[in-house]
Amino acid sequence: MSVPGDPARVGVLISGRGSNLQALLDAAAAYRLGGRVAVVVSNVAEAAGLERARRAGVPAIVQDHRGRSREEHDLSLLAHLQAHGVDLVCLAGYMRLLSPVLIRAYPGRVLNVHPSLLPAFPGLDAQRQAWEHGVKVSGATVHLVDEGLDTGPIVLQEAVPVLADDTPQALAARILEAEHRIYPQAVRLVLSGRLVRQGRRLLEETAP
Ligand code: GAR
């Protein structure tokens, strides 16, 4: 954990392109994140996001999940996160379910960004799911990670329209822009300590 006065340390887990990671790095560089990215871990060696981390001077680690149980893999992730003093874990296009080992080590301190307005369209290829379903509005969600699939309490959402001539790819691109806006805001909000939980609801404490 970081010492008082130091910026909070964010650990980011990725599997690919890393554009959400980039949004977090950019926000941190502009002092809009409320913390700094202390380490990036990818389960895929070729993930383009690793290079984004290196360019920003952030340690970039590959932890291949293949050939190991989910728990074994997550224990290795946890060791990397703890070695870098991580306070908050952000999943940014990390395409694996987390085991309780990791979630319980960071209670209320693991965030995920998902490309739909949850609870609609959890799981893989959410943008295509929404497009095929014919919804007129979709969007992006940042939520706390619990032990279910995209089921945790919602921190922030942003809606985007689904247009008549959209393809799944065009819709995904519009949603991605919303993800890049709300993910840094959500991290800042969680790190501010001003979120209070009432059941599933996360509410921002207002100043007295
Ligand atoms: C993003 O659209 C993110 O919401 C999605 O993967 C993409 C990663 O892009 N995540 C999920 O679908 C998780 N269920 P990025 O690597 O450029 O951030």
Side-chain angles (χ1 to χ4, degrees):
M1 293 286 175
S2 54
V3 290
D6 269 7
R9 290 161 179 260
V10 176
V12 185
L13 304 185
I14 63 169
S15 298
R17 177 178 59 182
S19 71
N20 278 289
L21 163 65
Q22 190 67 56
L24 298 178
L25 291 168
D26 291 348
Y31 302 101
R32 283 189 287 106
L33 194 67
R36 68 182 181 88
V37 180
V39 65
V40 172
V41 188
S42 172
N43 64 315
V44 176
E46 302 75 29
L50 288 165
E51 188 49 35
R52 297 180 190 267
R54 291 189 197 106
R55 272 206 305 271
V58 172
I61 297 169
V62 176
Q63 183 67 57
D64 196 331
H65 62 275
R66 287 173 297 183
R68 310 174 76 206
S69 73
R70 198 175 293 283
E71 285 72 23
E72 278 171 341
H73 176 65
D74 283 4
L75 280 172
S76 301
L77 294 180
L78 187 56
H80 292 305
L81 296 168
Q82 289 176 337
H84 288 83
V86 164
D87 304 294
L88 177 72
V89 182
C90 289
L91 311 186
Y94 182 69
M95 301 313 249
R96 289 179 57 79
L97 267 180
L98 292 188
S99 62
V101 177
L102 191 44
I103 298 168
R104 289 177 194 169
Y106 283 98
R109 295 245 141 195
V110 184
L111 287 176
N112 181 42
V113 63
H114 183 78
S116 73
L117 292 177
L118 289 171
F121 312 120
L124 290 177
D125 224 348
Q127 306 96 324
R128 177 175 285 279
Q129 290 185 53
W131 182 84
E132 282 177 353
H133 195 89
V135 295
K136 304 299 182 196
V137 177
S138 189
T141 301
V142 178
H143 64 96
L144 292 180
V145 174
D146 63 13
E147 291 176 25
L149 174 63
D150 300 326
T151 49
I154 291 168
V155 180
L156 285 179
Q157 291 185 303
E158 182 177 324
V160 308
V162 184
L163 306 179
D165 59 354
D166 265 347
T167 58
Q169 293 75 19
L171 176 59
R174 193 174 308 118
I175 291 173
L176 194 62
E177 289 178 14
E179 295 182 40
H180 296 166
R181 280 189 291 273
I182 65 171
Y183 210 179
Q185 288 174 24
V187 169
R188 189 184 180 100
L189 196 52
V190 170
L191 289 176
S192 75
R194 284 186 288 111
L195 275 187
V196 280
R197 188 163 170 174
Q198 290 180 1
R200 279 196 55 88
R201 305 172 75 220
L202 293 174
L203 307 171
E204 194 176 344
E205 234 171 18
T206 47

